[in-house]
Amino acid sequence: MYEVITNYGYTVFPLFILMGQIGFNAGIAVRLYDSAHKFIGHIPGGLAMATVLGATGFKAICGSAAATAATFASVAIPEMDRYGYDRRLSTGIVAIVGTLGCIIPPSVVLIIYGLVTEQSIGRLFLAGLIPGLIIATLFLGIIYGWAKIDPKIAPMTDRSTWKTRMRTLPEVGWIVLVFIVVVGGIMNGFFTPTEAGGIGTFAVLLLAVVKRGINFKGYVKSVREALVLLS
């Protein structure tokens, strides 16, 4: 038991979970959701679809499915409640977006599988990326179809201007860059998953500090929450 829990390879778990908690406490998840909301909130089921897109983007910096679901429960459900969304749709979609975390990299589940079976984690990440995006696309289609059939469950919101939409894109761009560095580095063999977790966590923390989204108290809170998730 001691040899298992002290395995160096398993240090990647707290790193990826900490990366997600820093991103949450720094408001990155909120900004991703807001960007998706600005672009598609005006179409049928737009807020629920924005939840799927926001969670898919947040997965780029969060390895925990539970953390992803918990994050968007606090971000998306109150917003959907404000616009009169049916609770069956709002709570259901928040519950199910966490499952994307099992296959979209960086996935803790795929890392565990790779370590246990001695398979290439980079190849597992590549194998999980396309199916994960396909599932996310199917979620969008189902939400849109449901909202078209029964418009009362997902009222449309106001349409945002293109100027307002463009202002939100830099936030998305930074997350895409972190994702490319972390996952691309693993897949190309530039660093190990554990090193990628450290680099990704530092990159998200640096981004949060530069954007003034987190202070020392927020960092300590992120560490504490990551430890709770691990326990």
Side-chain angles (χ1 to χ4, degrees):
M1 182 182 294
Y2 177 79
E3 290 179 355
V4 170
I5 64 176
T6 58
N7 188 318
Y8 171 74
Y10 291 164
T11 57
V12 68
F13 307 148
L15 289 172
F16 277 116
I17 292 175
L18 177 59
M19 182 164 59
Q21 292 307 124
I22 292 173
F24 168 64
N25 289 312
I28 291 176
V30 175
R31 292 195 288 272
L32 287 172
Y33 177 73
D34 182 63
S35 179
H37 179 190
K38 292 289 192 300
F39 274 90
I40 63 173
H42 62 282
I43 66 177
L47 287 181
M49 295 168 72
T51 303
V52 174
L53 293 177
T56 302
F58 188 64
K59 269 302 302 157
I61 60 168
C62 182
S64 169
T68 302
T71 296
F72 281 86
S74 62
V75 172
I77 289 181
E79 189 71 5
M80 286 188 273
D81 284 346
R82 187 163 71 90
Y83 282 97
Y85 270 56
D86 191 304
R87 266 299 178 99
R88 291 176 299 166
L89 176 60
S90 61
T91 56
I93 201 63
V94 166
I96 204 169
V97 291
T99 62
L100 294 173
C102 296
I103 50 178
I104 294 180
S107 166
V108 169
V109 173
L110 291 179
I111 293 171
I112 295 174
Y113 183 82
L115 292 173
V116 171
T117 61
E118 299 183 354
Q119 299 297 311
S120 167
I121 293 176
R123 290 185 176 182
L124 288 174
F125 279 0
L126 182 61
L129 180 60
I130 301 302
L133 294 177
I134 291 174
I135 292 172
T137 303
L138 291 174
F139 285 166
L140 298 177
I142 291 170
I143 293 168
Y144 182 80
W146 192 5
K148 289 290 285 185
I149 293 171
D150 187 3
K152 297 190 299 297
I153 68 168
M156 292 184 288
T157 63
D158 298 330
R159 182 189 295 269
S160 299
T161 64
W162 277 104
K163 185 178 180 179
T164 303
R165 294 173 183 174
M166 291 298 109
R167 288 175 180 169
T168 66
L169 286 182
E171 300 294 341
V172 179
W174 284 113
I175 299 306
V176 172
L177 180 60
V178 172
F179 177 82
I180 291 173
V181 170
V182 172
V183 177
I186 294 174
M187 292 173 59
N188 288 284
F190 294 142
F191 34 73
T192 66
T194 301
E195 293 167 346
I199 291 170
T201 302
F202 177 76
V204 171
L205 179 60
L206 182 63
L207 176 62
V209 171
V210 170
K211 294 284 186 179
R212 297 182 180 180
I214 198 169
N215 52 25
F216 183 73
K217 184 178 179 180
Y219 173 73
V220 172
K221 181 183 177 183
S222 300
V223 173
R224 187 183 299 116
E225 290 171 347
L227 291 172
V228 169
L229 285 171
L230 283 168
S231 63

